[in-house]
Amino acid sequence: MKQDFAKAIAYNVKVTPRKAKLVVDLVKGKSVNEALAILANVNRKAVSDVVKVIKSAAANAVKNHQMTEAFLYVAELAANEGKRDKRFMPRGKGSASKIIKRKTHLFCVVKERAGRSEEHTSELQSRPHISYAVFCL
């Protein structure tokens, strides 16, 4: 039974979920190559981790599920709250304040676009492998 999706998950990424969601919302529903091109021009800490998860899901789709790389798109991409590290910072007069260091779970599902023709698929598979293009203006 062939699956029509591939996924990748990164647990406990050291970025807060609120900041990761700003990056995730930029590329939901876009093709994989377009999403990577968009993220190449974004200046946020969470970008490198989101790019890793998208590339990993795309590689899983090509390697394990025999999907065509040119037709892949980001079907689902979520930044959920992970574990919290609780620390204390010493304050004046012998007291202390709580510090909560939040972590994020990144979850990516990649699918193939529907409506591709068989001759176009065989033509794409006969080409040499092209890595992800990054467009910088």
Side-chain angles (χ1 to χ4, degrees):
M1 184 173 114
K2 184 181 172 189
Q3 285 185 338
D4 62 339
F5 66 92
K7 66 180 179 178
I9 303 170
Y11 291 110
N12 294 322
V13 176
K14 196 177 177 187
V15 177
T16 63
R18 184 175 178 178
K19 293 177 181 178
K21 285 176 186 177
L22 293 173
V23 175
V24 164
D25 289 340
L26 292 173
V27 294
K28 278 185 188 175
K30 305 268 196 282
S31 70
V32 170
N33 290 332
E34 186 181 355
L36 294 174
I38 289 170
L39 292 176
N41 296 313
V42 176
N43 189 17
R44 295 273 182 179
K45 183 180 177 182
V47 167
S48 61
D49 297 314
V50 173
V51 166
K52 278 184 191 177
V53 172
I54 292 173
K55 282 185 177 180
S56 178
N60 290 341
V62 173
K63 176 103 174 148
N64 300 337
H65 303 293
Q66 290 75 37
M67 295 182 190
T68 309
E69 187 176 356
F71 293 110
L72 294 178
Y73 73 100
V74 180
E76 296 175 34
L77 188 59
N80 299 325
E81 191 168 324
K83 74 173 197 171
R84 297 175 176 186
D85 291 341
K86 293 173 182 160
R87 303 285 183 261
F88 291 97
M89 175 182 273
R91 306 305 288 228
K93 298 184 180 177
S95 65
S97 295
K98 255 190 192 179
I99 296 176
I100 299 174
K101 298 188 176 188
R102 291 175 167 85
K103 306 280 175 68
T104 304
H105 298 325
L106 293 173
F107 178 77
C108 180
V109 174
V110 172
K111 292 184 181 179
E112 261 185 322
R113 293 255 186 232
R116 59 184 198 158
S117 63
E118 289 300 323
E119 63 272 356
H120 188 61
T121 303
S122 62
E123 175 190 327
L124 284 174
Q125 288 175 348
S126 65
R127 290 186 198 166
H129 178 72
I130 300 170
S131 65
Y132 300 104
V134 177
F135 303 104
C136 297
L137 300 175

